[in-house]
Amino acid sequence: MDTAIWAAVSLLVLGSVAGLAGNGGRLTRADRRLARIEHKLDLILDHLGLREEDPRLDEVAGLARAGRTIEAIKTYREITGAGLKEAKDAVDRMTA
């Protein structure tokens, strides 16, 4: 009887872990889709000449001008949610 209980508990745990892994995959896919949508919106805003100004971006520009590029990239990513390459490109444009 103890073996049957342990087998049932094990199956429940494995099923729960598999379910969580499946949900994680969907969240990752949703995150990727959201990032693509945000990127497309950014392209549209750029095309229209509109900018979403965030006062915290002045801090990023200050860090970039001070030569603290890594901190600037990290801060930019925290503020905007951008990926590493996008953040690096944005910080590079700030110092150009």
Side-chain angles (χ1 to χ4, degrees), residues 14 18 26 44 51-53 71 75-76 80 90:
L14 288 174
R26 277 184 263 154
I44 291 169
R51 296 305 277 155
E52 178 185 357
E53 294 300 323
E71 285 181 68
T75 305
Y76 185 89
T80 65

Side-chain angles (χ1 to χ4, degrees), residues 30-95:
D31 290 339
R32 286 193 308 261
R33 289 184 69 199
L34 180 60
R36 284 195 309 267
I37 291 169
E38 288 176 342
H39 178 70
K40 289 176 183 179
L41 286 173
D42 288 339
L43 290 173
I44 291 169
L45 288 172
D46 286 343
H47 179 74
L48 295 174
L50 302 173
R51 296 305 277 155
E52 178 185 357
E53 294 300 323
D54 189 325
R56 297 175 296 171
L57 290 178
D58 292 337
E59 176 188 353
V60 174
L63 289 168
R65 284 191 298 270
R68 296 164 57 188
T69 308
I70 294 173
E71 285 181 68
I73 291 169
K74 181 181 176 188
T75 305
Y76 185 89
R77 291 185 72 193
E78 289 171 358
I79 292 169
T80 65
L84 182 59
K85 180 167 178 12
E86 183 182 351
K88 183 184 179 316
D89 292 344
V91 169
D92 288 345
R93 283 192 304 270
M94 289 178 185
T95 58

